[in-house]
């Protein structure tokens, strides 16, 4: 099998090197030698540590008849879509690791591909075979819930903040120095990378056609050492999670946000740059997939797995459905319709009556307080009709910490907006969701 690698960066180099280093093993397992015959780059001036003929003439490579599979690793959305859709329309097989491309164009590409092999295992969680697990190993299950740590940069930052009490800004600088975060980390720390991956998994699990703008997406930039302390005191960890789950009355929630997660959950122990995805099926129960979610070798491993499947002619419908699945279509919930428990942090004036004013606004929006934390570590809770707040005090202001019972996102955001407008509230209220 001859392949062309379009985009010879970190992952493209790793693909070429692994195919050369492990070529005999790969051939023995799939029955044919996989040979990279050309790599396409933007600039030939940049040095690349790869034993592969390189060119900057993309169009000439796309016209070659001796290429069996094209491997798209260039990144971006619209230009890769032009290239991949053109190749698939010509019945030329493609493998990609491009999650952004699939987040926006997976449905169109599925329609264009038809029976033409199109692999994208590397687009979600790097070397973890989560797409193959959903399309094949768990295919007999109605998937009840997917919960994933799918961005190593954010997980590294939150892990370091939890371990040492450092600020977000300080740990971000360390992540950049170690090469775990880009110079512009927005895509990772604001949850967009995780959102793209979640949408791909949701398409396979639920045949849902959502785009990033249609789901709730929040990042980790507003998390403070105070939030980390609260989480620790109540036996929670804080993780950036992508969550997809069935809810009552045929609904489906898709959301990405920092989350208070009980330390008893396996996902809570996933630290550093590692990724993990929990999948709950109605027949199999919970399965946990853990491993390296990024990096050249891990992602290249998934790319080559797709290539080997193509050699073996192991073909599956792109998004896992041979026929339209209309037995019980799920309705995607709007972000405001999400229902869960919440954590609220408020810095307010240190004066009599402030707590009563706050709890009045919350109660008027159907929000019940469940627990609190004080600076000395004391814990508390309330029964029916009760009120509670945790206090970290200074002479002029106090910080109040609350957790709520289950309530609706729209109600919580409306209450937070009203609290922000109160002259007793000194900073914008910080809200984080709790997943038990």
């Amino acid at each position: 099998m001859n392949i062309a690698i379009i985009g010879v960066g970190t992952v493209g180099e790793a693909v070429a090197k692994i195919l050369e280093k492990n070529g005999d093993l790969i051939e023995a397992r799939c029955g044919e030698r996989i040979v990279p015959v050309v790599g396409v780059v933007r600039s030939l001036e940049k040095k690349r540590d790869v034993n592969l003929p390189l060119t900057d003439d993309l169009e000439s490579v796309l016209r070659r008849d001796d290429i069996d599979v094209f491997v798209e690793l260039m990144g971006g959305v619209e230009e890769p879509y032009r290239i991949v859709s053109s190749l698939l329309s010509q019945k030329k097989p493609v493998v990609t690791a491009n999650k952004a491309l699939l987040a926006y164009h997976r449905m169109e590409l599925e329609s264009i591909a038809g029976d033409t092999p199109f692999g994208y295992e590397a687009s979600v969680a790097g070397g973890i075979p989560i797409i193959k697990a959903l399309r094949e190993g768990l295919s007999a299950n109605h998937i009840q819930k997917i919960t994933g740590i799918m961005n190593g940069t954010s997980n590294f930052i939150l892990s370091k903040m939890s371990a040492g009490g450092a600020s977000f800004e300080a740990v971000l600088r360390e992540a950049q120095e170690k090469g775990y975060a880009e110079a512009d980390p927005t895509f990772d720390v604001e949850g967009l990378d995780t959102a793209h991956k979640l949408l791909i998994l949701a398409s396979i699990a639920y045949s849902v056609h959502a785009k990033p703008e249609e789901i709730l997406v929040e990042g980790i930039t507003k998390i403070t050492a105070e939030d980390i302390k609260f989480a620790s005191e109540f036996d929670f960890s804080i993780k950036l999670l992508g969550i997809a789950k069935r809810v009552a009355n045929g609904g489906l929630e898709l959301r990405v946000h920092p989350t208070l997660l009980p330390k008893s959950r396996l996902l809570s122990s996933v630290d550093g740059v590692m990724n993990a995805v929990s999948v709950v099926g109605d027949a199999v129960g919970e399965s946990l997939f853990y491993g390296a979610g990024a990096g050249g070798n891990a992602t290249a491993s998934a790319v080559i797995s797709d290539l080997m499947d193509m050699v073996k002619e192991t073909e599956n419908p792109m998004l896992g459905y041979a026929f339209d699945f209309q037995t019980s279509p799920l309705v995607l919930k709007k972000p405001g319709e999400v229902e869960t428990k919440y954590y609220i942090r408020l810095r307010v004036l240190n004066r009599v009556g402030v707590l009563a004013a706050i709890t009045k606004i919350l109660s008027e929006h159907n929000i019940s307080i469940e627990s609190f934390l004080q600076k000395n570590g004391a814990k508390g809770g309330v029964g029916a009709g009760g009120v509670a707040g945790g206090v970290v005090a200074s002479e002029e202001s106090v910080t109040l910490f609350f957790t709520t019972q289950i309530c609706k996102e729209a109600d919580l955001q409306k209450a937070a907006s009203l609290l922000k407008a109160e002259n007793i509230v000194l900073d914008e209220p910080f809200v984080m969701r709790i997943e038990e």
Side-chain angles (χ1 to χ4, degrees), residues 301-320:
S301 173
V303 168
I304 295 170
S305 173
D306 280 337
L307 293 169
M308 294 172 71
D309 280 347
M310 290 179 183
V311 170
K312 293 182 288 187
E313 298 183 353
T314 303
E315 298 178 12
N316 290 290
M318 176 187 160
L319 294 176

Side-chain angles (χ1 to χ4, degrees), residues 55 64 67 83 141 179 189 191 215 238 247 263 272 291 320 358 377 382:
T55 179
R64 284 177 57 165
I67 307 297
I83 294 167
N141 288 254
V189 300
I215 68 173
I238 298 177
V247 293
K263 289 184 177 179
I358 291 168
V382 296

Side-chain angles (χ1 to χ4, degrees), residues 115-138:
D115 295 331
T116 302
F118 182 37
Y120 59 100
E121 181 66 66
S123 66
V124 179
I128 302 173
I130 185 60
I131 289 172
K132 184 169 289 188
L134 286 173
R135 290 200 307 181
E136 299 176 23
L138 301 175

Side-chain angles (χ1 to χ4, degrees), residues 24 33 89 117 192 234 297 319 381:
D24 292 341
R33 198 80 175 185
S89 68
L192 299 173
F234 274 79
N297 286 338
L319 294 176

Side-chain angles (χ1 to χ4, degrees), residues 36-314:
V37 296
V38 66
V40 179
V41 298
R42 288 190 176 91
S43 173
L44 291 170
E45 295 180 3
K46 182 179 178 180
K47 296 293 184 180
R48 289 171 174 81
D49 182 22
V50 62
N51 183 24
L52 177 68
L54 300 177
T55 179
D56 58 1
D57 188 354
L58 170 62
E59 298 305 322
S60 69
V61 171
L62 296 179
R63 291 192 297 268
R64 284 177 57 165
D65 293 329
D66 62 330
I67 307 297
D68 298 305
V69 182
F70 292 83
V71 179
E72 185 276 305
L73 301 173
M74 61 190 299
V77 177
E78 295 309 323
E79 178 64 5
Y81 176 65
R82 179 189 72 82
I83 294 167
V84 173
S85 60
S86 175
L87 290 169
L88 292 174
S89 68
Q90 299 172 61
K91 302 300 180 183
K92 296 180 179 180
V94 175
V95 172
T96 185
N98 192 333
K99 54 201 172 271
L101 166 67
L102 295 169
Y104 283 98
H105 293 299
R106 62 196 181 281
M107 310 313 300
E108 298 99 307
L109 291 173
E110 180 185 44
S111 177
I112 295 168
D115 295 331
T116 302
F118 182 37
Y120 59 100
E121 181 66 66
S123 66
V124 179
I128 302 173
I130 185 60
I131 289 172
K132 184 169 289 188
L134 286 173
R135 290 200 307 181
E136 299 176 23
L138 301 175
S139 58
N141 288 254
H142 284 286
I143 303 302
Q144 305 300 321
K145 186 176 182 181
I146 299 171
T147 310
I149 296 170
M150 294 181 280
N151 183 268
T153 300
S154 292
N155 201 48
F156 173 82
I157 292 171
L158 292 174
S159 298
K160 292 288 287 188
M161 289 178 68
S162 298
S167 69
F168 170 83
E169 292 77 12
V171 179
L172 174 59
R173 286 194 296 272
E174 180 182 348
Q176 290 170 324
E177 291 168 0
K178 291 179 178 292
Y180 297 149
E182 301 288 343
D184 179 2
T186 303
F187 198 68
D188 294 317
V189 300
E190 293 294 356
L192 299 173
D193 176 75
T194 299
H196 292 167
K197 296 169 181 175
L198 180 69
L199 288 169
I200 295 168
L201 298 184
S203 292
I204 302 168
Y206 307 108
S207 190
V208 63
H209 305 341
K211 292 189 175 175
E213 295 79 11
E214 299 176 77
I215 68 173
L216 191 158
V217 182
E218 291 181 5
I220 65 172
T221 58
K222 296 180 180 179
I223 293 173
T224 68
E226 290 178 322
D227 303 319
I228 298 293
K229 176 177 173 57
F230 179 95
S232 179
E233 289 289 338
F234 274 79
D235 292 325
F236 287 111
S237 63
I238 298 177
K239 298 293 183 183
L240 180 69
L241 296 182
I243 298 170
K245 68 176 179 179
R246 292 173 180 264
V247 293
N249 301 317
L252 177 68
E253 289 183 1
L254 297 180
R255 44 194 171 98
V256 174
H257 48 70
T259 310
L260 285 167
L261 191 67
K263 289 184 177 179
S264 58
R265 293 281 300 275
L266 287 173
L267 285 174
S268 284
S269 63
V270 177
D271 288 332
V273 295
M274 303 304 286
N275 281 198
V277 182
S278 164
V279 182
V280 179
D282 64 341
V284 75
E286 182 176 17
S287 300
L288 184 69
F289 302 83
Y290 170 87
N297 286 338
T299 307
S301 173
V303 168
I304 295 170
S305 173
D306 280 337
L307 293 169
M308 294 172 71
D309 280 347
M310 290 179 183
V311 170
K312 293 182 288 187
E313 298 183 353
T314 303

